[in-house]
């Protein structure tokens, strides 16, 4: 799923608006719960070498999601899933939006992140 579709999906399904918290990084956005202001999604564009030693130096869009700690290891075995960029690596993962990660699974992980951060 590309960035634009992903943002629209989250806005429509969770009734939240993206927030840009850093002037220096206008492409870094977060989605928060209205009730407690906790993030459940962060979408950023980063150099792929910050995610993996095998990166080419290209900028890629990623989504950070909170997951159950017992799932982080198995998720990271999938193509396009990495330890979370700038988040707790035990509880969060980064998924490259340029990978062929399954859209249904991505939507399920967004729902899980939403529930885990309530």
């Amino acid at each position: 799923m590309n960035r634009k579709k992903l943002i629209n999906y989250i806005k429509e399904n969770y009734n939240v608006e993206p927030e840009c918290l850093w002037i220096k990084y206008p492409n870094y956005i977060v989605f928060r719960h209205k009730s407690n202001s906790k993030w459940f999604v962060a979408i950023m564009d980063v150099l792929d070498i910050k995610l993996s030693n095998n990166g080419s130096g290209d900028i890629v869009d990623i989504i950070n999601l909170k997951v159950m700690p017992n799932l982080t290891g198995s998720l990271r075995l999938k193509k396009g899933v990495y330890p979370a960029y700038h988040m707790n690596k035990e509880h969060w993962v980064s998924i490259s939006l340029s990978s062929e990660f399954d859209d249904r699974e991505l939507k399920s992980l967004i729902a899980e992140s939403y529930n885990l951060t309530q």
Side-chain angles (χ1 to χ4, degrees), residues 1-7 9 96-99 101 103-104 106-107 110:
M1 185 177 305
N2 68 38
R3 175 187 272 260
K4 186 176 179 179
K5 286 182 183 178
L6 181 61
I7 291 169
Y9 170 79
S96 172
L97 299 181
S98 61
S99 69
F101 196 81
D103 286 354
R104 288 176 304 195
L106 180 59
K107 290 175 182 178
I110 292 168

Side-chain angles (χ1 to χ4, degrees), residues 61-114:
D61 286 325
I62 61 169
I63 182 171
N64 280 359
L65 299 167
K66 187 166 189 175
V67 296
M68 294 293 292
N70 61 332
L71 291 180
T72 55
S74 60
L75 281 170
R76 288 185 204 152
L77 295 174
K78 296 183 179 204
K79 184 178 181 179
V81 181
Y82 304 94
Y85 179 72
H86 275 291
M87 300 292 272
N88 180 310
K89 290 165 182 30
E90 181 182 348
H91 296 276
W92 291 77
V93 294
S94 291
I95 301 172
S96 172
L97 299 181
S98 61
S99 69
E100 295 174 14
F101 196 81
D102 182 71
D103 286 354
R104 288 176 304 195
E105 185 173 7
L106 180 59
K107 290 175 182 178
S108 175
L109 289 172
I110 292 168
E112 179 179 353
S113 185
Y114 182 86

Side-chain angles (χ1 to χ4, degrees), residues 24-88:
K24 185 176 177 182
Y25 300 103
N27 289 329
Y28 285 26
I29 60 171
V30 298
F31 287 94
R32 304 182 202 225
H33 289 274
K34 289 181 179 180
S35 61
N36 63 16
S37 296
K38 289 184 180 180
W39 303 1
F40 65 97
V41 167
I43 300 173
M44 301 172 271
D45 59 349
V46 299
L47 290 170
D48 61 0
I49 56 176
K50 296 191 179 216
L51 302 171
S52 166
N53 292 334
N54 300 332
S56 61
D58 292 336
I59 294 176
V60 295
D61 286 325
I62 61 169
I63 182 171
N64 280 359
L65 299 167
K66 187 166 189 175
V67 296
M68 294 293 292
N70 61 332
L71 291 180
T72 55
S74 60
L75 281 170
R76 288 185 204 152
L77 295 174
K78 296 183 179 204
K79 184 178 181 179
V81 181
Y82 304 94
Y85 179 72
H86 275 291
M87 300 292 272
N88 180 310

